mmCIF file of all heavy atoms in Angstrom:
data_model
loop_
_atom_site.group_PDB
_atom_site.id
_atom_site.type_symbol
_atom_site.label_atom_id
_atom_site.label_comp_id
_atom_site.label_asym_id
_atom_site.label_seq_id
_atom_site.Cartn_x
_atom_site.Cartn_y
_atom_site.Cartn_z
ATOM 1 N N LYS A 104 15.110 -45.487 11.470
ATOM 2 C CA LYS A 104 13.637 -45.486 11.483
ATOM 3 C C LYS A 104 13.077 -44.482 12.496
ATOM 4 O O LYS A 104 11.968 -44.607 12.965
ATOM 5 C CB LYS A 104 13.079 -46.879 11.770
ATOM 6 C CG LYS A 104 13.586 -47.970 10.875
ATOM 7 C CD LYS A 104 12.852 -47.999 9.580
ATOM 8 C CE LYS A 104 13.171 -49.255 8.797
ATOM 9 N NZ LYS A 104 14.039 -49.057 7.683
ATOM 10 N N LYS A 105 13.882 -43.478 12.826
ATOM 11 C CA LYS A 105 13.438 -42.405 13.729
ATOM 12 C C LYS A 105 13.415 -41.124 12.923
ATOM 13 O O LYS A 105 14.284 -40.880 12.095
ATOM 14 C CB LYS A 105 14.390 -42.263 14.908
ATOM 15 C CG LYS A 105 14.411 -43.478 15.797
ATOM 16 C CD LYS A 105 15.385 -43.299 16.929
ATOM 17 C CE LYS A 105 15.529 -44.553 17.734
ATOM 18 N NZ LYS A 105 14.493 -44.755 18.701
ATOM 19 N N GLU A 106 12.402 -40.319 13.169
ATOM 20 C CA GLU A 106 12.303 -39.038 12.476
ATOM 21 C C GLU A 106 11.753 -38.017 13.456
ATOM 22 O O GLU A 106 10.786 -38.285 14.165
ATOM 23 C CB GLU A 106 11.368 -39.167 11.271
ATOM 24 C CG GLU A 106 11.369 -37.943 10.398
ATOM 25 C CD GLU A 106 10.575 -38.154 9.116
ATOM 26 O OE1 GLU A 106 10.484 -39.283 8.636
ATOM 27 O OE2 GLU A 106 10.047 -37.148 8.620
ATOM 28 N N LEU A 107 12.386 -36.858 13.483
ATOM 29 C CA LEU A 107 11.906 -35.802 14.366
ATOM 30 C C LEU A 107 10.686 -35.136 13.760
ATOM 31 O O LEU A 107 10.648 -34.872 12.557
ATOM 32 C CB LEU A 107 12.993 -34.757 14.592
ATOM 33 C CG LEU A 107 14.252 -35.223 15.317
ATOM 34 C CD1 LEU A 107 15.225 -34.060 15.459
ATOM 35 C CD2 LEU A 107 13.925 -35.808 16.661
ATOM 36 N N THR A 108 9.707 -34.868 14.604
ATOM 37 C CA THR A 108 8.527 -34.147 14.145
ATOM 38 C C THR A 108 8.876 -32.670 14.015
ATOM 39 O O THR A 108 9.890 -32.196 14.542
ATOM 40 C CB THR A 108 7.372 -34.290 15.151
ATOM 41 O OG1 THR A 108 7.740 -33.624 16.371
ATOM 42 C CG2 THR A 108 7.027 -35.754 15.419
ATOM 43 N N ASP A 109 8.031 -31.927 13.324
ATOM 44 C CA ASP A 109 8.231 -30.478 13.216
ATOM 45 C C ASP A 109 8.224 -29.837 14.598
ATOM 46 O O ASP A 109 8.998 -28.909 14.861
ATOM 47 C CB ASP A 109 7.161 -29.845 12.330
ATOM 48 C CG ASP A 109 7.331 -30.207 10.862
ATOM 49 O OD1 ASP A 109 8.436 -30.643 10.459
ATOM 50 O OD2 ASP A 109 6.348 -30.067 10.111
ATOM 51 N N THR A 110 7.385 -30.322 15.492
ATOM 52 C CA THR A 110 7.318 -29.798 16.851
ATOM 53 C C THR A 110 8.628 -30.051 17.586
ATOM 54 O O THR A 110 9.137 -29.165 18.282
ATOM 55 C CB THR A 110 6.134 -30.419 17.620
ATOM 56 O OG1 THR A 110 4.925 -30.095 16.932
ATOM 57 C CG2 THR A 110 6.070 -29.918 19.050
ATOM 58 N N GLN A 111 9.197 -31.235 17.438
ATOM 59 C CA GLN A 111 10.466 -31.541 18.090
ATOM 60 C C GLN A 111 11.589 -30.664 17.534
ATOM 61 O O GLN A 111 12.416 -30.156 18.292
ATOM 62 C CB GLN A 111 10.818 -33.015 17.917
ATOM 63 C CG GLN A 111 9.925 -33.935 18.715
ATOM 64 C CD GLN A 111 10.146 -35.384 18.362
ATOM 65 O OE1 GLN A 111 10.305 -35.756 17.194
ATOM 66 N NE2 GLN A 111 10.163 -36.227 19.380
ATOM 67 N N LYS A 112 11.599 -30.466 16.232
ATOM 68 C CA LYS A 112 12.614 -29.598 15.619
ATOM 69 C C LYS A 112 12.467 -28.175 16.129
ATOM 70 O O LYS A 112 13.454 -27.502 16.427
ATOM 71 C CB LYS A 112 12.493 -29.631 14.095
ATOM 72 C CG LYS A 112 12.876 -30.958 13.486
ATOM 73 C CD LYS A 112 12.598 -30.962 11.995
ATOM 74 C CE LYS A 112 12.802 -32.330 11.390
ATOM 75 N NZ LYS A 112 12.466 -32.358 9.956
ATOM 76 N N GLN A 113 11.237 -27.701 16.241
ATOM 77 C CA GLN A 113 10.987 -26.353 16.742
ATOM 78 C C GLN A 113 11.407 -26.234 18.208
ATOM 79 O O GLN A 113 11.938 -25.202 18.619
ATOM 80 C CB GLN A 113 9.521 -25.964 16.564
ATOM 81 C CG GLN A 113 9.188 -24.572 17.042
ATOM 82 C CD GLN A 113 10.047 -23.482 16.406
ATOM 83 O OE1 GLN A 113 10.407 -23.553 15.235
ATOM 84 N NE2 GLN A 113 10.396 -22.476 17.184
ATOM 85 N N THR A 114 11.192 -27.286 18.986
ATOM 86 C CA THR A 114 11.614 -27.284 20.392
ATOM 87 C C THR A 114 13.128 -27.150 20.484
ATOM 88 O O THR A 114 13.636 -26.346 21.278
ATOM 89 C CB THR A 114 11.138 -28.569 21.101
ATOM 90 O OG1 THR A 114 9.707 -28.597 21.095
ATOM 91 C CG2 THR A 114 11.645 -28.645 22.533
ATOM 92 N N LEU A 115 13.861 -27.912 19.674
ATOM 93 C CA LEU A 115 15.322 -27.808 19.666
ATOM 94 C C LEU A 115 15.755 -26.408 19.251
ATOM 95 O O LEU A 115 16.639 -25.807 19.873
ATOM 96 C CB LEU A 115 15.934 -28.852 18.736
ATOM 97 C CG LEU A 115 15.801 -30.303 19.170
ATOM 98 C CD1 LEU A 115 16.310 -31.239 18.076
ATOM 99 C CD2 LEU A 115 16.521 -30.561 20.487
ATOM 100 N N ARG A 116 15.135 -25.890 18.194
ATOM 101 C CA ARG A 116 15.477 -24.543 17.712
ATOM 102 C C ARG A 116 15.216 -23.501 18.800
ATOM 103 O O ARG A 116 16.053 -22.623 19.048
ATOM 104 C CB ARG A 116 14.658 -24.200 16.464
ATOM 105 C CG ARG A 116 14.906 -22.785 15.945
ATOM 106 C CD ARG A 116 14.083 -22.454 14.720
ATOM 107 N NE ARG A 116 14.419 -23.282 13.574
ATOM 108 C CZ ARG A 116 15.540 -23.159 12.833
ATOM 109 N NH1 ARG A 116 16.413 -22.232 13.132
ATOM 110 N NH2 ARG A 116 15.749 -23.947 11.817
ATOM 111 N N GLN A 117 14.069 -23.573 19.457
ATOM 112 C CA GLN A 117 13.725 -22.608 20.499
ATOM 113 C C GLN A 117 14.682 -22.724 21.682
ATOM 114 O O GLN A 117 15.129 -21.710 22.230
ATOM 115 C CB GLN A 117 12.284 -22.800 20.960
ATOM 116 C CG GLN A 117 11.846 -21.771 21.983
ATOM 117 C CD GLN A 117 10.405 -21.970 22.421
ATOM 118 O OE1 GLN A 117 9.637 -22.699 21.793
ATOM 119 N NE2 GLN A 117 10.045 -21.321 23.511
ATOM 120 N N TRP A 118 15.014 -23.958 22.071
ATOM 121 C CA TRP A 118 15.951 -24.169 23.180
ATOM 122 C C TRP A 118 17.287 -23.494 22.882
ATOM 123 O O TRP A 118 17.843 -22.785 23.720
ATOM 124 C CB TRP A 118 16.121 -25.670 23.417
ATOM 125 C CG TRP A 118 17.216 -26.026 24.367
ATOM 126 C CD1 TRP A 118 17.264 -25.767 25.711
ATOM 127 C CD2 TRP A 118 18.433 -26.702 24.049
ATOM 128 N NE1 TRP A 118 18.436 -26.244 26.240
ATOM 129 C CE2 TRP A 118 19.176 -26.831 25.235
ATOM 130 C CE3 TRP A 118 18.966 -27.227 22.878
ATOM 131 C CZ2 TRP A 118 20.410 -27.453 25.288
ATOM 132 C CZ3 TRP A 118 20.197 -27.854 22.928
ATOM 133 C CH2 TRP A 118 20.910 -27.956 24.110
ATOM 134 N N ILE A 119 17.794 -23.687 21.674
ATOM 135 C CA ILE A 119 19.065 -23.069 21.301
ATOM 136 C C ILE A 119 18.922 -21.548 21.270
ATOM 137 O O ILE A 119 19.764 -20.824 21.805
ATOM 138 C CB ILE A 119 19.567 -23.613 19.949
ATOM 139 C CG1 ILE A 119 19.904 -25.108 20.085
ATOM 140 C CG2 ILE A 119 20.782 -22.832 19.469
ATOM 141 C CD1 ILE A 119 20.174 -25.800 18.764
ATOM 142 N N ALA A 120 17.841 -21.050 20.670
ATOM 143 C CA ALA A 120 17.615 -19.606 20.578
ATOM 144 C C ALA A 120 17.533 -18.963 21.962
ATOM 145 O O ALA A 120 17.977 -17.825 22.153
ATOM 146 C CB ALA A 120 16.340 -19.314 19.782
ATOM 147 N N GLU A 121 16.992 -19.688 22.927
ATOM 148 C CA GLU A 121 16.852 -19.176 24.294
ATOM 149 C C GLU A 121 18.149 -19.267 25.092
ATOM 150 O O GLU A 121 18.181 -18.919 26.259
ATOM 151 C CB GLU A 121 15.751 -19.935 25.033
ATOM 152 C CG GLU A 121 14.374 -19.645 24.514
ATOM 153 C CD GLU A 121 13.292 -20.510 25.155
ATOM 154 O OE1 GLU A 121 13.615 -21.412 25.971
ATOM 155 O OE2 GLU A 121 12.121 -20.297 24.811
ATOM 156 N N GLY A 122 19.215 -19.763 24.484
ATOM 157 C CA GLY A 122 20.497 -19.822 25.179
ATOM 158 C C GLY A 122 20.989 -21.224 25.475
ATOM 159 O O GLY A 122 22.048 -21.398 26.056
ATOM 160 N N ALA A 123 20.218 -22.237 25.116
ATOM 161 C CA ALA A 123 20.606 -23.645 25.267
ATOM 162 C C ALA A 123 21.062 -23.983 26.684
ATOM 163 O O ALA A 123 22.130 -24.566 26.884
ATOM 164 C CB ALA A 123 21.676 -24.003 24.232
ATOM 165 N N GLU A 124 20.245 -23.617 27.653
ATOM 166 C CA GLU A 124 20.585 -23.944 29.040
ATOM 167 C C GLU A 124 20.626 -25.457 29.200
ATOM 168 O O GLU A 124 19.690 -26.163 28.828
ATOM 169 C CB GLU A 124 19.553 -23.360 30.008
ATOM 170 C CG GLU A 124 19.860 -23.677 31.450
ATOM 171 C CD GLU A 124 18.793 -23.183 32.419
ATOM 172 O OE1 GLU A 124 17.816 -22.563 31.982
ATOM 173 O OE2 GLU A 124 18.971 -23.450 33.615
ATOM 174 N N TRP A 125 21.724 -25.959 29.747
ATOM 175 C CA TRP A 125 21.917 -27.402 29.961
ATOM 176 C C TRP A 125 21.861 -27.655 31.454
ATOM 177 O O TRP A 125 22.684 -27.141 32.203
ATOM 178 C CB TRP A 125 23.279 -27.818 29.408
ATOM 179 C CG TRP A 125 23.525 -29.290 29.494
ATOM 180 C CD1 TRP A 125 23.864 -30.016 30.606
ATOM 181 C CD2 TRP A 125 23.453 -30.218 28.419
ATOM 182 N NE1 TRP A 125 24.011 -31.329 30.284
ATOM 183 C CE2 TRP A 125 23.765 -31.485 28.941
ATOM 184 C CE3 TRP A 125 23.167 -30.098 27.065
ATOM 185 C CZ2 TRP A 125 23.793 -32.632 28.151
ATOM 186 C CZ3 TRP A 125 23.191 -31.236 26.283
ATOM 187 C CH2 TRP A 125 23.501 -32.479 26.818
ATOM 188 N N ARG A 126 20.885 -28.413 31.869
ATOM 189 C CA ARG A 126 20.780 -28.746 33.286
ATOM 190 C C ARG A 126 20.837 -30.247 33.454
ATOM 191 O O ARG A 126 20.121 -30.972 32.769
ATOM 192 C CB ARG A 126 19.481 -28.207 33.878
ATOM 193 C CG ARG A 126 19.483 -26.701 34.034
ATOM 194 C CD ARG A 126 18.256 -26.200 34.737
ATOM 195 N NE ARG A 126 17.063 -26.647 34.026
ATOM 196 C CZ ARG A 126 15.971 -27.141 34.607
ATOM 197 N NH1 ARG A 126 15.900 -27.227 35.896
ATOM 198 N NH2 ARG A 126 14.943 -27.535 33.882
ATOM 199 N N GLU A 127 21.688 -30.690 34.351
ATOM 200 C CA GLU A 127 21.755 -32.107 34.666
ATOM 201 C C GLU A 127 20.506 -32.495 35.453
ATOM 202 O O GLU A 127 19.871 -31.651 36.074
ATOM 203 C CB GLU A 127 23.013 -32.424 35.483
ATOM 204 C CG GLU A 127 24.294 -32.247 34.709
ATOM 205 C CD GLU A 127 24.429 -33.177 33.520
ATOM 206 O OE1 GLU A 127 23.842 -34.279 33.516
ATOM 207 O OE2 GLU A 127 25.114 -32.792 32.561
#
Side-chain angles (χ1 to χ4, degrees):
K104 307 278 191 255
K105 295 179 186 279
E106 188 173 331
L107 296 180
T108 66
D109 289 341
T110 300
Q111 290 171 319
K112 292 174 187 177
Q113 181 55 36
T114 297
L115 292 173
R116 177 181 296 286
Q117 183 179 346
W118 170 67
I119 294 170
E121 291 174 356
E124 180 184 358
W125 184 283
R126 288 186 304 136
E127 293 297 333

